[in-house]
Amino acid sequence: MSPKFRPVLDPEFVPASLWNRGYRAAVERSGGQNLAIALERGDGSVSVFRTAVLPHEGANVDINHRYVERLLKFLLWQKGGYRVTIAGDSRIAGYLRTVCAPGGARAFDHQFMGERVYGRPMAIDACPFDAAPVEKETAAPLGRHLDGYRIGFDLGASDRKCAAVAEGRVVFSEEVAWNPSVQADPQYHFDGVHDSLGRAAAHLPRVDAIGGSAAGVYVANEVRVGSLYRSVPQAIFDSRVRRLFFDLQAAWGGIPFDVVNDGEVTALAGSMALNDNAVLGIAMGSSLAAGFVTPQGTITTWLNELAFVPVDYRENAPVDEWSGDGGVGAQYFSQQAVARLLAPAGIDLPKEMPLPVKLEQVQQLMTAGDERARRIYETIGVYFGYNIAHYADFYEFRNLLVLGRVMTGEGGDLILAMADRVLKAEFPDVAERIRFHIPGEQEKRHGQAIAAASLPAIRDIIREGEKPRAIS
């Protein structure tokens, strides 16, 4: 590969987009063999990705292994699945079964995709290419309900946001600092959310519905996994955190109460603001969050956890401390990325300084015209340009919504300017069909709150004074 751009602070970066394009070109030249990867989720939906690999022999074996392992990793965290079927080569299936095993290199993925997310053991099967499972995608409308008096909240790693929404208009909003990921007692999480809801409710005559977003995986309001709860012991997680939002719903009289992944609400907010669909939302905050609104205006049952998908294919890529994998999104598009690039940039900050504070220091340096800070944002911009093209291989989108604390201020502008340069030079076809959208501060604050608040549909209710009671 010969990238036209190399990140100034990380010149060894190997863009997944270019590596995969080079691999596919080699397959075309040599004549490859068909392969399909099918992923089945807990609701019975199935995603199928069809590709081709080099003839699986000799020196090609290691190259094929690299391609299919990174591809499966992307698909697992984009779409999710507890049962994987490799159609076309049982040898490749056998290799992936070894890698995605309790003692394998991707043991983290095995545990999370199996027991933590879908509640059943992860399995990798093989079959002939012609016998690949039939694709069965499901999609559903998300939110957009603006009637009544609602509360919307968003739970992040460093703050929780909450807003009161009256007939689609934000009448109150605030941010409260918290630190949930180091808390072992789930009562901390319950009390924090309950407190924010009470603050918002004080500005409404009544509360008809509550909608929220949070980092992690949520299925039908049930918490399956999330970094916000990573310090809670598993047994306590199962008994107290898994049904956290059902407990909060009960505390609020059983009114309609919906919670989804924060990336989905980000994409929904963008779709509502733009009055358009086919939106991929990317939020660069304490980690990387993503969400997707289809061209039809619906959401899928996919996970869209792009913090864990591979974006850098070099062998010695920076390792994510939670998943143990190298070259994944959280290390390139988040506050973690900014912190990782401090030393190469020549900026010395105390190791114990929290990530949000390190980001603030870099932002201040950027505002002051410090060239070291500028190089950090240039580096992230090159990363991003190459990986927008990578995302375009897996998502059908025309609107790219970009937000998060890393994107705040002049640094965010530079990230997008560099990404645009990379796209136009390396992937002009992608650059031509995608437009960036960066919400303003008012739109970010209110748009996200309105989108979250719009999640639940309000059922018919009987009011006793100011307190609604759901009809069963």
Side-chain angles (χ1 to χ4, degrees):
M1 294 187 310
S2 299
K4 295 179 180 178
F5 298 83
R6 293 191 181 274
V8 62
L9 298 179
D10 195 6
E12 301 305 311
F13 170 66
V14 176
S17 52
L18 290 187
W19 197 101
N20 283 334
R21 280 164 172 73
Y23 178 88
R24 292 195 295 265
V27 170
E28 266 191 48
R29 289 194 301 270
S30 64
Q33 59 185 68
N34 290 328
L35 194 81
I37 301 177
L39 302 99
E40 181 180 347
R41 292 175 287 278
D43 62 351
S45 59
V46 179
S47 297
V48 181
F49 188 93
R50 288 177 171 81
T51 185
V53 296
L54 295 166
H56 200 61
E57 56 193 29
N60 289 345
V61 171
D62 285 344
I63 303 172
N64 282 347
H65 284 173
R66 183 65 170 167
Y67 173 68
V68 296
E69 187 273 327
R70 295 287 79 184
L71 174 59
L72 176 59
K73 174 80 176 193
F74 192 110
L75 294 172
L76 280 172
W77 290 99
Q78 178 206 15
K79 297 188 173 180
Y82 73 93
R83 181 179 298 279
V84 177
T85 302
I86 305 299
D89 197 310
S90 59
R91 297 167 297 176
I92 289 176
Y95 167 73
L96 293 173
R97 195 178 298 120
T98 301
V99 171
C100 296
R106 302 282 80 79
F108 175 89
D109 307 78
H110 173 89
Q111 179 195 20
F112 271 63
M113 286 298 151
E115 298 167 7
R116 295 292 297 275
V117 176
Y118 295 105
R120 61 195 81 184
M122 181 179 172
I124 297 181
D125 300 326
C127 71
F129 181 78
D130 293 339
V134 176
E135 185 164 85
K136 187 169 63 173
E137 296 283 13
T138 58
L142 177 70
R144 306 178 199 264
H145 306 290
L146 298 176
D147 55 321
Y149 297 95
R150 300 166 171 270
I151 296 176
F153 67 86
D154 177 64
L155 307 180
S158 56
D159 60 61
R160 58 181 196 265
K161 303 176 181 68
C162 201
V165 180
E167 302 291 347
R169 181 173 62 89
V170 175
V171 296
F172 166 81
S173 66
E174 72 169 354
E175 297 181 12
V176 177
W178 74 337
N179 192 15
S181 61
V182 299
Q183 306 295 330
D185 184 355
Q187 192 65 38
Y188 175 91
H189 300 80
F190 181 97
D191 291 344
V193 180
H194 190 53
D195 174 67
S196 286
L197 295 178
R199 291 167 180 258
H203 296 265
L204 296 171
R206 65 175 188 271
V207 179
D208 297 325
I210 297 172
S213 64
V217 177
Y218 301 83
V219 179
N221 285 354
E222 188 173 281
V223 184
R224 294 296 174 86
V225 64
S227 59
L228 300 181
Y229 325 102
R230 62 193 301 178
S231 295
V232 179
Q234 186 62 44
I236 300 177
F237 178 95
D238 291 337
S239 63
R240 295 282 308 282
V241 174
R242 194 174 291 277
R243 303 279 296 179
L244 171 67
F245 296 105
F246 293 91
D247 294 339
L248 283 161
Q249 181 181 29
W252 283 82
I255 63 175
F257 198 120
D258 286 342
V259 179
V260 301
N261 173 269
D262 54 352
E264 303 294 358
V265 173
T266 294
L268 172 63
S271 177
M272 293 171 70
L274 295 168
N275 196 27
D276 196 9
N277 298 317
V279 176
L280 180 64
I282 299 290
M284 301 187 198
S286 55
S287 185
L288 170 65
F292 178 54
V293 174
T294 69
Q296 295 74 38
T298 60
I299 63 163
T300 66
T301 56
W302 303 350
L303 297 184
N304 299 312
E305 285 287 345
L306 298 189
F308 294 116
V309 306
V311 300
D312 181 356
Y313 274 23
R314 62 181 142 164
E315 293 291 344
N316 62 339
V319 173
D320 174 58
E321 52 91 17
W322 192 19
S323 68
D325 197 1
V328 299
Q331 287 292 311
Y332 296 76
F333 309 114
S334 71
Q335 294 174 24
Q336 299 172 54
V338 173
R340 179 173 65 81
L341 295 171
L342 288 173
I347 299 174
D348 185 20
L349 294 177
K351 186 177 181 180
E352 65 276 7
M353 181 180 285
L355 291 179
V357 181
K358 288 181 178 178
L359 175 61
E360 290 172 4
Q361 294 292 312
V362 172
Q363 289 170 334
Q364 291 172 13
L365 290 172
M366 182 69 182
T367 301
D370 192 299
E371 187 62 29
R372 298 171 301 169
R374 184 178 182 84
R375 286 196 290 268
I376 289 177
Y377 288 110
E378 285 180 353
T379 296
I380 295 174
V382 174
Y383 291 155
F384 196 39
Y386 280 109
N387 281 289
I388 293 170
H390 191 41
Y391 300 148
D393 286 341
F394 296 88
Y395 288 97
E396 185 182 355
F397 67 98
R398 57 179 173 269
N399 298 298
L400 183 62
L401 178 72
V402 191
L403 68 165
R405 290 190 174 187
V406 175
M407 295 301 300
T408 300
E410 296 177 35
D413 295 340
L414 182 54
I415 288 174
L416 285 190
M418 290 302 301
D420 189 52
R421 286 182 59 192
V422 171
L423 280 174
K424 287 177 178 175
E426 293 272 35
F427 314 100
D429 56 325
V430 177
E432 188 173 332
R433 69 175 187 264
I434 290 174
R435 63 183 177 123
F436 293 112
H437 178 66
I438 306 180
E441 203 57 43
Q442 186 83 348
E443 183 185 339
K444 277 192 294 186
R445 184 180 299 274
H446 289 183
Q448 191 87 353
I450 291 172
S454 80
L455 292 174
I458 299 175
R459 299 186 293 271
D460 292 334
I461 56 177
I462 298 173
R463 287 185 169 77
E464 299 173 350
E466 297 289 28
K467 182 180 178 182
R469 176 171 63 86
I471 294 178
S472 59

